[in-house]
Amino acid sequence: MNIVVCIKQVPDTKGGVKFKPDGTLDRGAMLTIMNPDDKAGLEAALRLKDEYGAKVTAITMGLPKAEEVLREAMAMGADEGILVTDRRLGGADTWATSSTIAAAIKNLEYDLIITGRQAIDGDTAQVGPQISEHLDIPVISYAQEIKIDGDYVIVNRQFEDRHHVLKAKMPALVTALSELNDPRYMTPGGIFDAYDSEITVWSRDDLKELDDANIGLAGSPTKIAKASDKVKKGAGEVVSFESGEEAAAFIADKLIEKHII
Amino acid sequence: MNRMNIEEYKGVFIYAEQVDGVITNISFELLGKAKELASKLDTDVTAVLIGSEIEGLANSLAEYGADKVIVVDDKELKDYRTEPYAHALSSVINEFKPDIVLVGATAIGRDLGPRVSARVKTGLTADCTVLEIGDFPLVAIPNQEQKHNQLLMTRPAFGGNTIATIACPDNRPQMATVRPGVMQKIERIKDAKAEIISFNPGFTPDNKYTEILEIVKEVSNVADIQDADILVSCGRGVGSAENFKLLEDFANAIGGTVSCSRAVVDNGWKPKELQVGQTGKTVRPKVYFAIGISGAIQHTAGMEESDLIIAINKDETAPIFDVADYGIVGDLNKILPSLTAKVNEAKAK
């Protein structure tokens, strides 16, 4: 079985968000990580590999620096890493990103494709389902459990008030929730091996089944009209009291003043 | 991208999500916004209702602002599955050529939206919080055509730290998923009627149709925190499941509903349905009490639109104080019992 896992390198919002003096995000000053949902997807693939035997290929599209997440994936146990990098692919929205990744995946053998539900920078949750559409295969989103039964993948999919157990014929694409599992750590041996192994690098020219009309900024139907920092609501009044009684009296007065009680 | 004949595309459409034959609240919220957009564009509002044996639901869509309801009714559509629903919605789009299509950013909408947008080859903006009609580019640029009457879609990204306004100038329809709880539904117009249009593109199951083996409904008596006027929200600082008693007593006294932060769900103290924040629900009650919640951006993204925010936290440097109208530095174990008593006292007057 061949499993392809799509991963993205994203800024780590946990380490705090840094801004440049002009108010734009200072991505350079922020740590980068493997997107959490993608890491859960990778872990799911590695568990399927442990249980059923599979070749796991990690693929990412990004700047040359994104090679780091592929090394990490390989140190966790992925068999191969593919970096799609080319300036012509930059500035892509989800349509252009998914078209490009789908074209890259067409170069590979695949039974199962796993992506994260969403990336923590863009927060769109669109690329996974859009890749499945470009490849014309079934998609199951929000997996909290993935099993294999012959030619079928069986997924427990989470919705707001219920979950569905779904069965899809492979090849299929599944998007993973970070709640799916606790990803394993890299092993020291795995790290050494990962740095010794080759990463396959593909440029635009390696993606044969891709129309120039569908790549990069020019191939993106959506355009950014404006981007800005969120305007923070001004901080209110912060007060400190010696006793709980006084604090409670303060809050109660405000609630009465605002006609809430 | 292939050029489309944009002039052909007209009308504001919404996807009317139904589950088990009940229309989801977001559908009415979308209708409220669609009506406003349609009046600026001098066009009408169409709801697209997809399911099995659902025709009876069309009237309620009319009562909340739909001028037309397109009904796709087929037994293949009994429960939500990506492929037949994507086929239904994209067939409606190809047949009726709407200018704008709005979909709720629910679990279903966020699965359906991207599949459909990829199929009809258009842009999709995720999880929008503001939708307006305006010009793109916003300000005219020499040697570049400025297009009018475009849908300007504003959304938070980066865990709520940046706000981006996005347009889809050259492709139609302009598609957006819209965050539940943000748009306002209109006052119900009782007995309003819409033009009902039945449309069935035909369904041929193939290997893209998933099979539903089981549906497990997580039956809960949990209140919908998006409907609450007063939320008493608790975080890791509440400390233990036992301390929630203090919180619940206070919530009962003030007539509020208990909600929580992600840390509380992760610790198994409260169910996921009560979670406020980026990966939980967006709420905007009249009063939001943030009790023992530090206020990470992932949390504040889901509650900062509340009319009044009152935070209680021991740590005076907690970021929740940056969004709170009133921040009280102190021990909730000491403050809450006294506050509950004062609320009861005030109510007894």
Side-chain angles (χ1 to χ4, degrees), chain A residues 35-38 116-120 122-126 176, chain B residues 110 278-279:
Chain A
N35 181 54
D37 284 351
D38 303 353
R117 168 194 45 180
Q118 71 189 73
I120 57 171
D123 283 337
T124 70
Q126 292 175 2
Chain B
R110 300 187 82 186
Q278 196 190 351
T279 58

Side-chain angles (χ1 to χ4, degrees), chain B residues 29 44 47 74 87 179 206 208 259 347:
Chain B
E29 295 171 13
D44 56 12
D74 193 284
H87 175 61
R179 185 175 288 197
D206 58 22
K208 284 176 282 172
S259 58
K347 288 209 158 170

Side-chain angles (χ1 to χ4, degrees), chain A residues 239-256 261, chain B residues 250 254 289 310-312 328-346:
Chain A
V239 287
S240 197
F241 294 98
E242 288 298 313
S243 74
E245 184 79 14
E246 285 172 72
F250 173 83
I251 299 171
D253 283 348
K254 296 296 176 196
L255 295 175
I256 292 166
I261 54 172
Chain B
F250 171 57
I254 198 158
F289 291 93
I310 299 177
I312 303 176
I328 291 87
V329 183
D331 182 351
L332 62 96
N333 291 301
K334 293 190 182 135
I335 298 172
L336 279 183
S338 180
L339 183 57
T340 303
K342 284 196 192 306
V343 170
N344 282 330
E345 208 176 286

